Amino acid sequence: MQARRRQVELWWYVPIADRALPPEQQSRFRLSPLSQAERLRMLDDMSWLRRSDGEVIIQSRANTVALELVRDHLEETGNFPATAPAPWPASGTAAERVAYLEQFDDEVLIELAMEIRRRSVLEPDEKN
């Protein structure tokens, strides 16, 4: 088996909906990758088994996990919100960060979570 590599540095991401806008109107988000432990915990947390009156129910948690990923791996914002940019509370409490994320459309929050997950997955080394 060959060694794998993964994203280890922060990167900037522009949401799909903003890419057609002039650069000065685009919102940008600086994201950090997940560690291996975080990736595995995320996969474990995607669904839970719950018992209700003797019946086993699988409960999806994909959207809750998306919120947690963005809350914990958004490092900085640029030009968000576009009409009156406000800094991301990077050193704030989890509650302060969640309050900031309330400004996001749900679709953008999920898009950012998918980008964090995509860039955090192990990828094969590039061949020379």
Side-chain angles (χ1 to χ4, degrees), residues 2 4 10-11 17 27 36 59 86-87 89 93 104 113 119 126 128:
Q2 292 200 2
R4 302 281 181 160
L10 304 177
W11 71 97
S27 291
Q36 184 179 51
Q59 180 177 349
T93 65
F104 288 45
R119 292 286 290 262
E126 293 182 23
N128 291 333

Side-chain angles (χ1 to χ4, degrees), residues 86-106:
W88 168 246
S91 60
T93 65
E96 289 170 330
R97 289 191 252 159
V98 167
Y100 185 95
L101 294 175
E102 284 288 335
Q103 301 175 86
F104 288 45
D105 288 336
D106 294 346

Side-chain angles (χ1 to χ4, degrees), residues 10-21:
L10 304 177
W11 71 97
W12 285 98
Y13 181 79
V14 175
I16 294 167
D18 281 17
R19 293 179 190 169
L21 299 173

Side-chain angles (χ1 to χ4, degrees), residues 7-12 30-33 73 75-76 119:
Q7 179 81 26
V8 294
E9 297 178 3
L10 304 177
W11 71 97
W12 285 98
R30 193 161 190 207
L31 306 171
S32 64
H73 290 275
E75 302 293 334
E76 183 179 354
R119 292 286 290 262

Side-chain angles (χ1 to χ4, degrees), residues 61-82:
R61 294 190 67 249
N63 295 326
T64 303
V65 169
L67 175 65
E68 293 167 359
L69 286 180
V70 176
R71 179 197 67 203
D72 296 343
H73 290 275
L74 176 59
E75 302 293 334
E76 183 179 354
T77 59
N79 201 36
F80 181 83

Side-chain angles (χ1 to χ4, degrees), residues 23-34:
E24 65 275 4
Q25 294 177 15
Q26 295 176 351
S27 291
R28 296 172 308 284
F29 302 96
R30 193 161 190 207
L31 306 171
S32 64
L34 302 170

